[in-house]
Amino acid sequence: MRHLILSAAIPALLMGACATAPVATGAPAQQSAQRGPAPHFPRDLTPAGVAAADDHLALEQVDGAEAQAFVAEENRKSLAALTGDPRYETFREEALAILTAEDRIPMPSFLGDGIGNFWQDAANPKGVWRRTTLDSYRTAQPRWETLLDIDALAKAEGKDWVFKGADCLAPDETRCLVNLSDGGKDAVVVREFDLTTKTFLADGFNLPEGKHRIEWLDRDTLLVATDFGAGTMTESGYPFIVKTLKRGQALAQATEVYRGEQGDGGYGVSPAVYRDKDGAVQAVIITRPLDTFRSETWELANGRPVKLATPARVSIHGVLGGRLVFSAEENWSFGGRERRSGDLLAVPLAALRGEASASAATTSDAAELVLRPEARQAVSDVRVLSDRLVVAYTDNVRGRAAVFSDRGGQAWGRVDIAVPDNLAVGLGDSSKSRGEVFVSTQGFLVPPTLSLADADAATLTALKSAPAKFDAVRDVTEQYEATSTDGTKIPYFITRPRDLAMDGTAPTILFGYGGFQISLNPAYKPEMGKLWLERGGVFVQANIRGGGEFGPDWHQAALDGNRQRAFDDFAAVARDLERRGITSPRHLGIYGRSNGGVLTSVSITQHPELFNAAVIESPLIDMLRYHELPAGASWIGEYGDPRIPEEAEWIAKYSAYQQLRPEVDYPRAYITTNTRDDRVHPGHARKFAARLGDQGHDHLYYEDTAGGHSNDADPVANARRWARHYVYLAQQLMD
């Protein structure tokens, strides 16, 4: 099996000096904003009471007449303000040149005997799926063979197709399941593609649009979790039933092999087939999510599911030598031994099944424990090969890598891989048969270098280096720490001009996320460097709680009722920037998307005095109704359940949509989303913009019509998107 993943960004960072700030002071929200309830704050926090207090429910109808009229008028005003700016066309051209540049690194995946790549440029904005040999890939001008032209396919079929990756059956990898999205949605249609003939098979597997979870079992059988009809999807809109689908069968004829429950949370039940280097199946693992982060792990053995005794919070990386390789995301007791949250483990499947014969012969403590990160460390990625693991981890948000070899019941052998210091390290695709892994290193001011790691030798061989896309000679990156309200040290990175006058006038973007255990390991952001840094701007990236920079505990510190900690951390960084003389509220703007939209919308409602700009993109904002909007209920494990009175009370304290007040002087915000975003409903952004307008607050709202949540549909459209962002930020922070 080979997955070609298109949307996973490889993390990076550039380190500098580290310092500590004094304890931040101040209340969690602006004091003047706490005098009595906001005018649209529900008197009744039940779902019915929240809905009754909402005067913009019509904007939740994605294609409703009132909603579309609202979008059209808001787009008209915003485009006039943004694209009418004399800087817009320059920004758009510069962004487009970067996004379609021919000298970008073509990110590779192992594909059969060769290398696969998906490529978008000005001539093929929807992209081409192509392949070459590894020897050719090493050259400056690889000779590519086109497998599938998405632009030509979209034109021929009259569809707005967006390529969402392919899954090819090992070991030959000539039969592939191609995922195509209409307009960039998460939901895809799946078609079987033959790489030898470069055609879709007329009698091949063909699944209608849906949020499928699919794996090859063998050449004529798939494991499928999808919408099998009424009553087969969770309230979040994800599947909870797994079936085997034989070649030639319709979905209605598939055979059930596993069933969760309709009340399950998370992103739906998911099958995974792990194979050895020759393509033989080692294990079939099914993950049943109970909520966003807790799950049950099952093994499908001889067609029958067996529950495994894994931790409830777990990240599974693969199977090696009969052992399940996973990261424990909570403290865990097993076989009389205690494991810590964050440990990387390799535990025999037989022991996890509870087989009596395995209990007596279970491996030693040292053999099961692969890596225990230290206090400021975290495992970031793992690749499972035939007899060893390649592990990327962070040490105070600096990238490291090592190879761990299986020594059969003894402590794992470890050899560190020499990587450049003060950069991020990201793992790409891997090949068990070759014992190789693609590795990327990069920093804020250091363009990416792609290397090939030989796991046997624990060495890196550089393959390609991206050229610089902006002039970074006069800039420097430093790492500092702010102190949050409860005394916790919050690291953040500043990229700024070396000769910056510390007088508080620097136009500064503060970027954050703070959720879902996602680490913000700073990457080389060429469009930011060209459109912002080259014009004297400062870029700051905050590693607030809720992320995974220091492992599961860093994430779980801001879950549920402790969510306020993430917002306090972000505000503490803003204050620390002012204290250091980097910037001031007049010149400080914030940017966040998706969960970062929670962060930015809350930040301007709790602390409008700290900021003069906010780009709020593809956001969650109405946190009292987020579970009602697809696919919101899947995130209850992150935010809590507004249907439970106790939890609704602490969610309501920060939900920005309900907390808006007409008398507060908010910064002129730019809210933007996508009509075809089926991950975070566009109703969040629409309603927030509408209420800002109702209360007389100046704002901009723009809604694109295609692209989906990940904004990966079209580099031409993406160039316009970045130009709008930076025009707005320049207007607010530079003018």
Side-chain angles (χ1 to χ4, degrees), residues 683-696:
H684 286 278
R686 293 171 177 176
K687 295 198 304 179
F688 191 66
R691 185 158 290 172
L692 282 170
D694 292 345
Q695 295 185 358

Side-chain angles (χ1 to χ4, degrees), residues 41-42 45 50 622-628 642 648 651-652 655 658:
F41 191 87
L45 291 180
V50 170
D622 182 354
M623 299 308 293
L624 288 175
R625 277 184 59 79
Y626 83 91
H627 63 290
E628 305 269 6
I651 293 171
S655 184
Q658 286 80 17

Side-chain angles (χ1 to χ4, degrees), residues 428-715:
D429 199 16
S430 63
S431 171
K432 286 187 175 181
S433 61
R434 303 183 193 190
E436 295 174 329
V437 180
F438 290 112
V439 177
S440 175
T441 57
Q442 58 183 310
F444 278 117
L445 302 174
V446 180
T449 291
L450 180 72
S451 302
L452 192 61
D454 182 326
D456 290 335
T459 57
L460 289 182
T461 301
L463 296 175
K464 295 182 181 295
S465 294
K469 291 299 179 182
F470 61 92
D471 184 2
V473 172
R474 70 191 190 105
D475 292 317
V476 63
T477 296
E478 301 161 319
Q479 187 187 36
Y480 295 104
E481 288 182 344
T483 304
S484 195
T485 306
D486 63 359
T488 302
K489 304 297 183 184
I490 310 301
Y492 65 95
F493 293 94
I494 300 177
T495 302
R496 63 170 180 85
R498 293 176 186 272
D499 59 355
L500 181 70
M502 301 297 184
D503 59 2
T505 63
T508 302
I509 301 170
L510 172 58
F511 176 53
Y513 190 78
F516 294 91
Q517 204 170 318
I518 293 175
S519 301
L520 286 188
N521 299 313
Y524 188 75
K525 304 175 188 294
E527 69 288 333
M528 183 275 293
K530 188 67 179 177
L531 277 62
W532 191 252
L533 295 181
E534 277 197 0
R535 290 169 169 84
V538 174
F539 182 78
V540 179
Q541 191 155 285
N543 300 116
I544 63 178
R545 282 173 287 185
E549 287 83 352
F550 300 133
D553 292 347
W554 193 249
H555 166 234
Q556 292 166 29
L559 280 185
D560 297 334
N562 292 320
R563 198 76 192 176
Q564 184 61 44
R565 290 174 176 169
F567 312 137
D568 289 348
D569 293 353
F570 203 57
V573 173
R575 293 191 187 98
D576 202 55
L577 292 170
E578 184 177 3
R579 184 187 70 83
R580 293 179 186 278
I582 300 290
T583 191
S584 59
R586 165 64 184 85
H587 299 285
L588 178 59
I590 54 179
Y591 170 57
R593 66 183 308 271
S594 193
N595 171 76
V598 183
L599 175 66
T600 47
S601 63
V602 172
S603 292
I604 65 170
T605 52
Q606 290 191 351
H607 294 290
E609 77 283 0
L610 292 179
F611 314 107
N612 195 43
V615 177
I616 305 173
E617 185 172 33
S618 305
L620 284 88
I621 299 181
D622 182 354
M623 299 308 293
L624 288 175
R625 277 184 59 79
Y626 83 91
H627 63 290
E628 305 269 6
L629 303 175
S634 61
W635 309 317
I636 284 174
E638 176 79 17
Y639 303 116
D641 191 341
R643 295 167 295 189
I644 299 173
E646 177 187 0
E647 299 185 13
E649 286 187 15
W650 41 256
I651 293 171
K653 290 178 181 178
Y654 69 77
S655 184
Y657 180 56
Q658 286 80 17
Q659 291 290 353
L660 283 174
R661 300 164 183 272
E663 74 277 9
V664 177
D665 186 16
Y666 299 116
R668 173 182 179 245
Y670 174 41
I671 307 103
T672 179
T673 190
N674 191 287
T675 308
R676 297 297 155 230
D677 188 340
D678 58 347
R679 193 181 313 174
V680 177
H681 195 284
H684 286 278
R686 293 171 177 176
K687 295 198 304 179
F688 191 66
R691 185 158 290 172
L692 282 170
D694 292 345
Q695 295 185 358
H697 300 299
D698 190 14
H699 69 282
L700 296 174
Y701 178 82
Y702 181 75
E703 182 173 317
D704 214 336
T705 57
H709 189 68
S710 54
N711 292 295
D712 58 0
D714 182 343

